[in-house]
Amino acid sequence: MPTDDDRESTTAQETSVRPPRILGDVDSATSDRASRWWWDHDAENYHDEHGAFLGTYTGGGDFVWCPEGVRESEAGLLGEIEGRTILEIGCGSAPCARWLAAHGAHAVGVDLSRRMLGIGLDAMDADEVRVPLIQATAETLPFADESFDTVCSAFGAIPFVADSAGVMAEVARVLKPGGRWVFAVNHPMRWMFLDDPGPEGLTVRIPYFNRTPYTETDPNGQITYVEHHRTIGDRVRELRAAGFVLDDIVEPEWPDDHDREWGQWSPFRGRYFPGTAIFCSHKPE
Protein backbone atom coordinates (compact mmCIF):
# COMPACT_ATOMS: atom_id res chain seq x y z
CA MET A 1 0.00 0.00 0.00
CA PRO A 2 1.29 3.53 -0.76
CA THR A 3 2.42 5.65 2.17
CA ASP A 4 1.58 9.30 2.76
CA ASP A 5 4.93 10.24 1.24
CA ASP A 6 4.06 8.27 -1.90
CA ARG A 7 0.87 10.29 -2.23
CA GLU A 8 2.65 13.65 -2.25
CA SER A 9 1.66 15.61 -5.29
CA THR A 10 4.01 16.00 -8.23
CA THR A 11 3.82 17.99 -11.41
CA ALA A 12 2.53 16.32 -14.56
CA GLN A 13 6.03 16.43 -16.05
CA GLU A 14 7.61 14.76 -13.02
CA THR A 15 4.97 12.04 -13.05
CA SER A 16 5.50 11.29 -16.74
CA VAL A 17 9.25 10.64 -16.52
CA ARG A 18 9.81 9.11 -13.08
CA PRO A 19 11.16 5.57 -13.02
CA PRO A 20 9.15 3.01 -11.03
CA ARG A 21 10.02 2.70 -7.37
CA ILE A 22 12.04 -0.45 -6.60
CA LEU A 23 9.92 -2.66 -4.35
CA GLY A 24 10.84 -5.68 -2.27
CA ASP A 25 13.86 -6.40 -0.10
CA VAL A 26 16.28 -7.81 -2.68
CA ASP A 27 18.87 -5.14 -3.48
CA SER A 28 21.34 -4.96 -6.36
CA ALA A 29 24.20 -6.67 -4.53
CA THR A 30 21.97 -9.57 -3.48
CA SER A 31 20.53 -9.93 -6.97
CA ASP A 32 23.99 -9.90 -8.55
CA ARG A 33 25.32 -12.47 -6.10
CA ALA A 34 22.33 -14.79 -6.60
CA SER A 35 22.39 -14.52 -10.39
CA ARG A 36 26.12 -15.13 -10.57
CA TRP A 37 25.77 -18.21 -8.35
CA TRP A 38 22.74 -19.57 -10.22
CA TRP A 39 24.06 -19.23 -13.74
CA ASP A 40 27.52 -20.46 -12.79
CA HIS A 41 26.02 -23.61 -11.28
CA ASP A 42 23.21 -24.20 -13.77
CA ALA A 43 25.10 -23.42 -16.98
CA GLU A 44 25.63 -27.03 -18.07
CA ASN A 45 22.04 -28.07 -17.33
CA TYR A 46 20.72 -25.01 -19.13
CA HIS A 47 22.74 -25.74 -22.25
CA ASP A 48 21.92 -29.45 -22.21
CA GLU A 49 18.27 -28.44 -22.45
CA HIS A 50 18.37 -25.26 -24.53
CA GLY A 51 21.81 -24.94 -26.12
CA ALA A 52 20.88 -26.50 -29.46
CA PHE A 53 17.72 -24.39 -29.80
CA LEU A 54 19.65 -21.19 -29.04
CA GLY A 55 22.44 -22.00 -31.47
CA THR A 56 25.20 -22.14 -28.86
CA TYR A 57 26.91 -24.99 -30.67
CA THR A 58 26.14 -23.77 -34.18
CA GLY A 59 29.07 -22.34 -36.12
CA GLY A 60 28.69 -18.57 -36.01
CA GLY A 61 25.95 -18.83 -33.37
CA ASP A 62 22.32 -17.83 -33.86
CA PHE A 63 20.14 -14.95 -32.69
CA VAL A 64 16.94 -16.29 -31.11
CA TRP A 65 14.97 -13.61 -29.31
CA CYS A 66 12.63 -15.83 -27.30
CA PRO A 67 11.16 -19.31 -26.71
CA GLU A 68 8.64 -18.63 -29.48
CA GLY A 69 11.57 -18.91 -31.87
CA VAL A 70 11.66 -15.35 -33.25
CA ARG A 71 15.02 -14.93 -34.99
CA GLU A 72 16.77 -11.68 -35.76
CA SER A 73 17.52 -13.00 -39.25
CA GLU A 74 13.77 -12.80 -39.97
CA ALA A 75 12.54 -10.09 -37.61
CA GLY A 76 15.25 -7.49 -38.26
CA LEU A 77 14.51 -5.65 -35.02
CA LEU A 78 18.04 -4.27 -34.80
CA GLY A 79 18.04 -2.78 -38.27
CA GLU A 80 21.34 -2.59 -40.12
CA ILE A 81 24.04 -4.62 -38.36
CA GLU A 82 26.93 -4.86 -40.82
CA GLY A 83 29.74 -2.59 -39.70
CA ARG A 84 27.88 -1.54 -36.56
CA THR A 85 29.32 -1.74 -33.06
CA ILE A 86 26.77 -3.76 -31.06
CA LEU A 87 26.67 -4.59 -27.35
CA GLU A 88 24.74 -7.61 -26.08
CA ILE A 89 23.80 -7.36 -22.38
CA GLY A 90 23.31 -10.59 -20.46
CA CYS A 91 24.78 -12.51 -23.37
CA GLY A 92 25.13 -15.85 -21.56
CA SER A 93 27.17 -18.12 -23.85
CA ALA A 94 26.84 -15.41 -26.51
CA PRO A 95 25.20 -17.17 -29.49
CA CYS A 96 23.51 -13.86 -30.37
CA ALA A 97 26.71 -11.82 -30.23
CA ARG A 98 28.48 -14.50 -32.26
CA TRP A 99 25.73 -14.40 -34.89
CA LEU A 100 26.03 -10.61 -35.08
CA ALA A 101 29.79 -10.88 -35.58
CA ALA A 102 29.34 -13.54 -38.26
CA HIS A 103 27.08 -11.10 -40.11
CA GLY A 104 29.52 -8.22 -40.11
CA ALA A 105 28.94 -6.46 -36.79
CA HIS A 106 31.61 -5.51 -34.29
CA ALA A 107 29.94 -7.33 -31.39
CA VAL A 108 30.74 -7.36 -27.68
CA GLY A 109 29.05 -9.51 -25.04
CA VAL A 110 28.61 -8.80 -21.33
CA ASP A 111 27.38 -11.26 -18.70
CA LEU A 112 27.61 -11.72 -14.95
CA SER A 113 28.33 -15.46 -15.06
CA ARG A 114 31.90 -16.60 -15.63
CA ARG A 115 30.77 -20.14 -16.48
CA MET A 116 28.25 -18.99 -19.10
CA LEU A 117 30.95 -16.87 -20.71
CA GLY A 118 33.31 -19.84 -20.59
CA ILE A 119 30.89 -21.97 -22.56
CA GLY A 120 30.68 -19.17 -25.11
CA LEU A 121 34.45 -18.97 -25.41
CA ASP A 122 34.65 -22.72 -25.99
CA ALA A 123 31.92 -22.54 -28.63
CA MET A 124 33.80 -19.79 -30.47
CA ASP A 125 36.70 -22.11 -31.21
CA ALA A 126 34.94 -23.12 -34.41
CA ASP A 127 34.02 -19.56 -35.46
CA GLU A 128 35.85 -17.46 -38.01
CA VAL A 129 35.31 -14.33 -35.91
CA ARG A 130 35.86 -14.18 -32.16
CA VAL A 131 33.74 -11.92 -29.97
CA PRO A 132 35.10 -10.11 -26.89
CA LEU A 133 33.23 -11.36 -23.82
CA ILE A 134 33.37 -9.36 -20.59
CA GLN A 135 32.22 -10.34 -17.10
CA ALA A 136 30.32 -7.40 -15.63
CA THR A 137 26.99 -6.38 -14.17
CA ALA A 138 24.47 -4.67 -16.41
CA GLU A 139 23.95 -2.00 -13.77
CA THR A 140 27.52 -0.76 -14.24
CA LEU A 141 28.63 -1.21 -17.85
CA PRO A 142 32.44 -0.92 -18.23
CA PHE A 143 32.36 1.20 -21.38
CA ALA A 144 32.84 4.84 -22.30
CA ASP A 145 29.94 7.11 -23.17
CA GLU A 146 28.49 6.69 -26.69
CA SER A 147 30.56 3.58 -27.47
CA PHE A 148 27.92 1.56 -29.36
CA ASP A 149 25.64 1.96 -32.36
CA THR A 150 23.17 -0.62 -31.03
CA VAL A 151 22.49 -2.40 -27.73
CA CYS A 152 20.41 -5.55 -27.35
CA SER A 153 19.42 -8.17 -24.79
CA ALA A 154 17.55 -11.43 -25.45
CA PHE A 155 16.22 -12.48 -22.04
CA GLY A 156 19.48 -11.40 -20.43
CA ALA A 157 20.03 -9.31 -17.29
CA ILE A 158 16.87 -7.14 -17.32
CA PRO A 159 14.57 -9.45 -15.29
CA PHE A 160 17.38 -10.36 -12.91
CA VAL A 161 18.59 -6.94 -11.74
CA ALA A 162 17.07 -4.97 -8.89
CA ASP A 163 17.55 -1.61 -10.61
CA SER A 164 16.40 -2.18 -14.17
CA ALA A 165 15.70 1.55 -14.51
CA GLY A 166 19.39 2.06 -13.79
CA VAL A 167 20.27 -0.38 -16.56
CA MET A 168 18.20 1.69 -18.99
CA ALA A 169 20.18 4.77 -17.95
CA GLU A 170 23.46 2.88 -18.42
CA VAL A 171 22.39 1.76 -21.90
CA ALA A 172 21.49 5.36 -22.78
CA ARG A 173 24.94 6.43 -21.61
CA VAL A 174 26.92 3.94 -23.74
CA LEU A 175 24.64 4.22 -26.81
CA LYS A 176 25.30 6.72 -29.57
CA PRO A 177 22.55 9.20 -30.48
CA GLY A 178 20.19 7.59 -32.96
CA GLY A 179 21.12 4.08 -31.77
CA ARG A 180 18.62 1.31 -31.08
CA TRP A 181 18.00 -0.40 -27.74
CA VAL A 182 16.01 -3.63 -28.10
CA PHE A 183 15.42 -6.14 -25.31
CA ALA A 184 13.25 -9.22 -24.79
CA VAL A 185 11.83 -10.24 -21.40
CA ASN A 186 9.11 -12.43 -19.97
CA HIS A 187 5.82 -10.80 -20.87
CA PRO A 188 4.82 -8.94 -17.69
CA MET A 189 1.36 -10.56 -17.60
CA ARG A 190 3.08 -13.95 -17.14
CA TRP A 191 3.80 -12.88 -13.57
CA MET A 192 0.19 -13.67 -12.67
CA PHE A 193 0.43 -17.38 -13.53
CA LEU A 194 2.29 -20.42 -12.25
CA ASP A 195 5.30 -21.65 -14.23
CA ASP A 196 3.19 -24.49 -15.57
CA PRO A 197 2.89 -25.16 -19.33
CA GLY A 198 -0.42 -26.98 -18.92
CA PRO A 199 -3.98 -26.08 -17.81
CA GLU A 200 -2.87 -25.21 -14.26
CA GLY A 201 -0.84 -22.42 -15.84
CA LEU A 202 -3.99 -20.65 -17.01
CA THR A 203 -5.25 -19.74 -13.53
CA VAL A 204 -4.32 -16.33 -12.13
CA ARG A 205 -2.50 -16.75 -8.82
CA ILE A 206 -0.46 -13.55 -8.30
CA PRO A 207 -1.59 -9.91 -8.70
CA TYR A 208 -0.12 -8.30 -11.79
CA PHE A 209 0.78 -5.26 -9.69
CA ASN A 210 2.71 -7.23 -7.05
CA ARG A 211 6.35 -6.32 -7.68
CA THR A 212 7.80 -8.34 -4.82
CA PRO A 213 10.71 -10.28 -6.39
CA TYR A 214 10.49 -14.03 -6.85
CA THR A 215 13.33 -15.75 -4.99
CA GLU A 216 14.68 -19.21 -4.27
CA THR A 217 16.95 -20.02 -1.33
CA ASP A 218 19.34 -22.75 -0.24
CA PRO A 219 18.94 -24.70 3.05
CA ASN A 220 20.79 -21.92 4.86
CA GLY A 221 18.38 -19.26 3.66
CA GLN A 222 20.86 -17.75 1.19
CA ILE A 223 19.13 -16.39 -1.91
CA THR A 224 20.30 -18.40 -4.92
CA TYR A 225 17.88 -17.17 -7.58
CA VAL A 226 15.98 -13.93 -7.99
CA GLU A 227 13.70 -12.53 -10.66
CA HIS A 228 12.17 -9.06 -10.57
CA HIS A 229 8.78 -8.08 -11.97
CA ARG A 230 7.87 -4.86 -13.72
CA THR A 231 4.59 -4.05 -15.45
CA ILE A 232 4.31 -2.87 -19.05
CA GLY A 233 3.83 0.65 -17.73
CA ASP A 234 6.92 0.34 -15.55
CA ARG A 235 9.03 -0.63 -18.57
CA VAL A 236 7.71 2.30 -20.58
CA ARG A 237 8.49 4.71 -17.74
CA GLU A 238 11.97 3.21 -17.35
CA LEU A 239 12.67 3.83 -21.02
CA ARG A 240 11.27 7.35 -20.97
CA ALA A 241 13.16 8.28 -17.82
CA ALA A 242 16.38 7.23 -19.56
CA GLY A 243 15.54 9.40 -22.57
CA PHE A 244 14.50 6.68 -25.02
CA VAL A 245 11.71 6.82 -27.58
CA LEU A 246 9.61 3.65 -27.57
CA ASP A 247 9.05 2.46 -31.13
CA ASP A 248 7.24 -0.84 -30.61
CA ILE A 249 6.38 -3.63 -28.19
CA VAL A 250 6.46 -6.95 -30.03
CA GLU A 251 4.32 -9.72 -28.49
CA PRO A 252 5.18 -12.84 -30.52
CA GLU A 253 2.38 -15.27 -31.22
CA TRP A 254 3.08 -18.96 -30.81
CA PRO A 255 3.89 -20.49 -34.23
CA ASP A 256 1.55 -23.25 -35.37
CA ASP A 257 4.44 -25.58 -36.20
CA HIS A 258 6.40 -24.97 -32.97
CA ASP A 259 5.93 -27.83 -30.48
CA ARG A 260 8.76 -27.11 -28.06
CA GLU A 261 8.07 -26.57 -24.34
CA TRP A 262 10.41 -24.35 -22.34
CA GLY A 263 9.43 -24.11 -18.69
CA GLN A 264 6.19 -22.14 -18.66
CA TRP A 265 6.25 -21.61 -22.43
CA SER A 266 4.28 -24.17 -24.40
CA PRO A 267 2.04 -24.50 -27.47
CA PHE A 268 -0.91 -24.90 -25.09
CA ARG A 269 -0.41 -21.67 -23.19
CA GLY A 270 0.84 -19.88 -26.28
CA ARG A 271 -2.64 -20.13 -27.78
CA TYR A 272 -4.06 -17.97 -25.01
CA PHE A 273 -1.61 -15.21 -24.14
CA PRO A 274 1.90 -13.97 -24.97
CA GLY A 275 4.97 -15.27 -23.18
CA THR A 276 7.42 -12.66 -24.41
CA ALA A 277 7.54 -8.88 -24.80
CA ILE A 278 10.25 -7.34 -26.97
CA PHE A 279 10.70 -3.62 -26.35
CA CYS A 280 12.09 -1.71 -29.33
CA SER A 281 13.36 1.81 -28.71
CA HIS A 282 15.93 4.33 -29.85
CA LYS A 283 17.97 7.17 -28.41
CA PRO A 284 17.08 10.45 -30.13
CA GLU A 285 19.70 12.23 -32.25
Side-chain angles (χ1 to χ4, degrees):
M1 296 292 291
T3 65
D4 291 341
D5 289 340
D6 294 328
R7 297 190 183 95
E8 289 181 359
S9 62
T10 58
T11 67
Q13 182 178 9
E14 290 172 337
T15 301
S16 68
V17 300
R18 74 182 189 280
R21 183 165 58 94
I22 296 175
L23 305 179
D25 56 358
V26 181
D27 60 15
S28 294
T30 304
S31 289
D32 283 357
R33 183 170 58 249
S35 293
R36 184 183 297 110
W37 185 94
W38 178 267
W39 293 110
D40 278 350
H41 285 76
D42 194 58
E44 274 72 21
N45 291 333
Y46 180 83
H47 283 89
D48 286 346
E49 187 172 359
H50 305 300
F53 176 76
L54 294 173
T56 299
Y57 308 113
T58 301
D62 197 0
F63 199 129
V64 182
W65 278 107
C66 53
E68 290 87 350
V70 176
R71 282 173 162 76
E72 178 59 20
S73 59
E74 299 172 350
L77 300 180
L78 300 180
E80 181 65 38
I81 62 173
E82 186 172 1
R84 302 297 175 92
T85 303
I86 302 180
L87 172 64
E88 183 188 5
I89 296 176
C91 66
S93 58
C96 297
R98 291 167 51 219
W99 182 89
L100 291 167
H103 288 77
H106 305 291
V108 178
V110 167
D111 199 90
L112 193 63
S113 167
R114 182 181 181 87
R115 184 61 195 126
M116 293 289 278
L117 293 174
I119 292 174
L121 288 172
D122 290 341
M124 270 193 281
D125 285 343
D127 292 352
E128 294 184 7
V129 182
R130 295 189 67 84
V131 175
L133 300 182
I134 299 169
Q135 185 180 18
T137 172
E139 293 185 23
T140 309
L141 296 173
F143 305 106
D145 296 355
E146 299 183 4
S147 297
F148 297 96
D149 299 305
T150 305
V151 182
C152 60
S153 183
F155 275 83
I158 304 304
F160 306 107
V161 298
D163 186 11
S164 52
V167 174
M168 304 297 166
E170 273 290 89
V171 172
R173 180 183 65 79
V174 303
L175 188 62
K176 297 176 183 178
R180 297 193 191 192
W181 164 223
V182 183
F183 63 94
V185 293
N186 295 354
H187 197 289
M189 73 172 292
R190 283 285 173 117
W191 190 256
M192 299 185 292
F193 303 93
L194 297 178
D195 285 354
D196 188 321
E200 284 294 313
L202 297 182
T203 302
V204 173
R205 301 294 178 88
I206 302 171
Y208 175 74
F209 300 103
N210 180 350
R211 299 172 181 84
T212 303
Y214 168 81
T215 59
E216 296 179 7
T217 58
D218 65 17
N220 298 318
Q222 185 78 18
I223 294 176
T224 57
Y225 181 90
V226 61
E227 193 168 328
H228 298 266
H229 170 59
R230 298 290 181 266
T231 67
I232 287 282
D234 288 340
R235 293 292 182 218
V236 172
R237 285 186 288 274
E238 287 179 341
L239 288 165
R240 288 198 55 186
F244 287 104
V245 174
L246 180 64
D247 300 311
D248 196 6
I249 302 175
V250 179
E251 300 169 297
E253 296 186 36
W254 196 271
D256 292 335
D257 59 350
H258 187 34
D259 60 0
R260 176 185 177 85
E261 287 191 1
W262 182 332
Q264 60 181 290
W265 285 267
S266 68
F268 177 80
R269 292 223 307 186
R271 293 199 300 267
Y272 293 95
F273 52 83
T276 298
I278 307 175
F279 291 81
C280 306
S281 66
H282 73 274
K283 179 178 177 179
E285 297 278 1

